[in-house]
């Protein structure tokens, strides 16, 4: 049988294929510190390291308090999922609750800023829910490796969010919208081909929690 036109690429030395992984629906939360590039440039390295330590503490505590799994912390940003290893009713709501708590707790941090000045710290966050292939993580990917569109969309929402804004896709909020005070719906571009996702900014907790 002819194999013309078929090119087999050799595997890199030491490469071990990942196991197949588990497909499940997760709610994915990305959060980043707003204005971090300018802030890190104005601060002494030791002071900025102390700030990162404080952020790690806030991230870890808020995700755990809302039943999520912290996938990785990278610099001043973090990625967490809700619904792993066991999906539960209300995973998306808990992801949004975690984001609201994160924004409040980071805004409450005191004593960080260039030359000892107080700086108002704010996050920008994005949340989306969808089918994800979950594989075992490593030192590069974090505690889990997440494959699929959902993490990409959550990351794009975070990038599109303004200072102190939580952008949540309509697919994620669904019937849980009434738990929160939310702003008007808007379309957010998620790639260069014109694809968009509908999202709302969550302004805080509503009356029904």
């Amino acid at each position: 049988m002819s194999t013309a036109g078929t090119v087999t690429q050799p595997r890199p030395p030491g490469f071990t294929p990942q196991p197949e992984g588990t497909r499940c629906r997760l709610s994915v939360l990305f959060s980043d510190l707003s204005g971090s590039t300018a802030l890190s440039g104005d601060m002494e390295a030791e002071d900025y390291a102390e700030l990162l330590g404080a952020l790690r503490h806030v991230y870890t505590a808020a995700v755990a308090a809302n039943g999520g799994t912290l996938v990785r912390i990278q610099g001043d940003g973090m990625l967490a999922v809700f619904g792993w290893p066991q999906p539960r009713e209300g995973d998306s709501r808990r992801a949004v609750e975690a984001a609201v708590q994160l924004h409040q707790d980071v805004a409450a941090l005191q004593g960080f800023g260039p030359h000892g000045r107080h700086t108002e710290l704010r996050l920008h966050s994005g949340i989306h829910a969808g089918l994800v292939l979950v594989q075992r993580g490593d030192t590069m990917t974090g505690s889990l490796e997440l494959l699929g569109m959902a993490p990409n969309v959550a990351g794009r929402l975070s990038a599109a969010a303004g200072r102190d804004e939580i952008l949540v896709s309509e697919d994620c909020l669904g019937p849980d919208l009434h738990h929160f005070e939310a702003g008007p719906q808007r379309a957010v571009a998620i790639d260069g081909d014109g694809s968009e996702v509908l999202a709302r900014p969550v302004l805080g907790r509503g009356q029904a929690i």
Side-chain angles (χ1 to χ4, degrees):
M1 182 173 63
S2 172
T3 58
T6 300
V7 178
T8 301
Q9 296 292 339
R11 291 175 176 173
F15 172 79
T16 302
Q18 278 275 43
E20 194 170 298
T22 302
R23 289 183 179 271
C24 55
R25 180 179 170 84
L26 298 177
S27 297
V28 184
L29 163 63
F30 267 98
S31 290
D32 267 313
L33 186 65
S34 298
S36 58
T37 301
L39 186 61
S40 63
D42 287 339
M43 295 178 69
E44 296 292 337
E46 294 83 359
D47 295 333
Y48 191 65
E50 185 179 354
L51 169 59
L52 294 182
L55 289 173
R56 285 194 292 269
H57 176 76
V58 169
Y59 293 159
T60 302
V63 171
N66 290 279
T69 299
L70 188 59
V71 175
R72 68 173 178 266
I73 297 175
Q74 187 169 350
D76 50 53
M78 58 128 265
L79 166 64
V81 296
F82 296 76
W84 177 265
Q86 184 66 38
R88 294 183 295 164
E89 185 178 353
D91 284 330
S92 291
R93 177 176 57 81
R94 280 185 286 275
V96 182
E97 286 280 1
V100 172
Q101 182 178 339
L102 282 170
H103 280 238
Q104 292 175 342
D105 292 350
V106 167
L109 290 175
Q110 300 288 328
F112 296 101
H115 313 299
R117 300 193 304 269
H118 171 67
T119 297
E120 292 184 349
L121 302 175
R122 297 292 187 269
L123 297 176
H124 55 97
S125 299
I127 307 173
H128 182 63
L131 189 64
V132 179
L133 177 63
V134 183
Q135 295 182 336
R136 182 179 65 250
D138 54 31
T139 55
M140 295 183 66
T141 60
S143 61
L144 302 170
E145 184 172 14
L146 308 177
L147 304 174
M149 278 300 296
N152 297 334
V153 173
R156 184 66 193 93
L157 290 172
S158 176
R163 178 180 171 85
D164 202 24
E165 187 173 49
I166 304 168
L167 272 182
V168 186
S169 70
E170 291 281 14
D171 287 345
C172 182
L173 273 176
D176 285 328
L177 176 62
H178 72 280
H179 288 278
F180 304 97
E181 181 185 354
Q185 182 186 84
R186 71 179 191 250
V188 178
I190 58 172
D191 55 35
D193 66 1
S195 297
E196 294 179 332
V197 64
L198 296 178
R200 291 179 185 269
V202 166
L203 309 177
R205 298 179 179 90
Q207 295 302 311
I209 300 297

